[in-house]
Amino acid sequence: EAQVTQNPRYLITVTGKKLTVTCSQNMNHEYMSWYRQDPGLGLRQIYYSMNVEVTDKGDVPEGYKVSRKEKRNFPLILESPSPNQTSLYFCASSLSGTRLFEQETQYFGPGTRLLVL
Amino acid sequence: GQQLNQSPQSMFIQEGEDVSMNCTSSSIFNTWLWYKQDPGEGPVLLIALYKAGELTSNGRLTAQFGITRKDSFLNISASIPSDVGIYFCAGPTSGTYKYIFGTGTRLKVLA
């Protein structure tokens, strides 16, 4: 089954304790992306990746890191989480990273709910 | 940065009623996307629009790409309880590979 998976689905942590949220897709997609969703603000893009070893900032990258060492995986790293990073996080992927970008639809994972105390 | 403003923010309607919502931007988009998010799930694409003026349907849903390229509209006809959720407009920003999402319209359907 074609899908985007995220782990963990729920996470409670404390300020300053490094954490990683994993994202994996089995569709051989080139483009992958991370979003956070907060009430009244919709989804805001954190980082995206056009392909392996190619990443770039979205609208709200501060406090986050990503890496794309393999095509299927795109982990989100919070080196020193703070309470304002409490949110619902979504990973997404789409087929093409370049020529057909504007015509490619994104497939979303189930979400990771993070609470930072 | 670019923003997408959706209205209304929320709607309560009776089952069987038609629904209209819109999305506006201060800048031009070349693609408009409409997603629906069910409670506890990730967004799922409903309709994609690629040309100014384009009108596209998906069952009871119809969406239009505004002629100015700065807005889009989504209509749902004869609403049913499973239409409940949050509807987002979205699009790739012109000249970049970033995506922008609207703030969402929360729809509740009363049986």
Side-chain angles (χ1 to χ4, degrees):
Chain A
E1 180 190 352
Q3 59 184 355
V4 178
T5 56
Q6 296 178 226
N7 281 292
R9 293 289 312 278
Y10 304 90
L11 180 59
I12 302 174
T13 190
V14 295
T15 299
K17 187 176 181 182
K18 180 180 178 180
L19 67 91
T20 299
V21 184
T22 65
C23 173
S24 182
Q25 49 91 6
N26 62 0
M27 297 169 278
N28 202 36
H29 284 174
E30 291 185 348
Y31 186 92
M32 295 186 75
S33 182
W34 277 102
Y35 296 85
R36 60 177 289 173
Q37 182 177 11
D38 302 290
L41 297 177
L43 283 86
R44 294 178 293 167
Q45 193 172 39
I46 303 171
Y47 269 94
Y48 63 92
S49 169
M50 302 295 293
N51 212 326
V52 175
E53 303 291 2
V54 181
T55 63
D56 210 343
K57 296 177 182 178
D59 276 344
V60 288
E62 295 78 20
Y64 304 95
K65 284 175 59 178
V66 292
S67 70
R68 188 92 181 272
K69 296 189 172 71
E70 309 164 275
K71 201 170 190 180
R72 62 183 292 128
N73 296 321
F74 189 44
L76 179 70
I77 303 155
L78 284 71
E79 294 270 2
S80 182
S82 62
N84 65 12
Q85 292 178 299
T86 292
S87 188
L88 177 58
Y89 292 87
F90 287 101
C91 180
S93 73
S94 62
L95 181 61
S96 170
T98 50
R99 185 172 62 89
L100 295 177
F101 175 74
E102 288 189 342
Q103 298 197 14
E104 297 294 338
T105 61
Q106 291 188 77
Y107 297 87
F108 282 79
T112 294
R113 192 168 289 280
L114 172 65
L115 172 61
V116 183
L117 301 173
Chain B
Q2 288 180 291
Q3 285 185 314
L4 292 178
N5 297 308
Q6 285 187 248
S7 65
Q9 283 190 322
S10 62
M11 305 176 74
F12 286 81
I13 61 168
Q14 289 290 133
E15 184 177 357
E17 286 184 357
D18 296 345
V19 174
S20 290
M21 59 189 79
N22 67 58
C23 184
T24 59
S25 169
S26 57
S27 52
I28 287 172
F29 276 73
N30 293 318
T31 298
W32 284 96
L33 307 168
W34 284 93
Y35 285 85
K36 182 192 177 201
Q37 184 180 28
D38 289 326
E41 307 280 335
V44 174
L45 183 71
L46 298 173
I47 292 179
L49 302 159
Y50 301 115
K51 290 182 185 177
E54 180 181 357
L55 190 71
T56 297
S57 293
N58 178 5
R60 293 178 296 106
L61 278 61
T62 302
Q64 183 161 24
F65 192 139
I67 200 74
T68 65
R69 294 180 175 266
K70 292 185 178 181
D71 56 11
S72 180
F73 307 89
L74 176 70
N75 295 313
I76 305 172
S77 62
S79 58
I80 58 178
S82 62
D83 290 333
V84 164
I86 305 176
Y87 292 80
F88 291 103
C89 60
T93 56
S94 183
T96 77
Y97 296 103
K98 291 185 187 180
Y99 268 89
I100 300 289
F101 275 73
T103 49
T105 293
R106 187 180 293 270
L107 179 64
K108 295 196 176 179
V109 180
L110 306 173

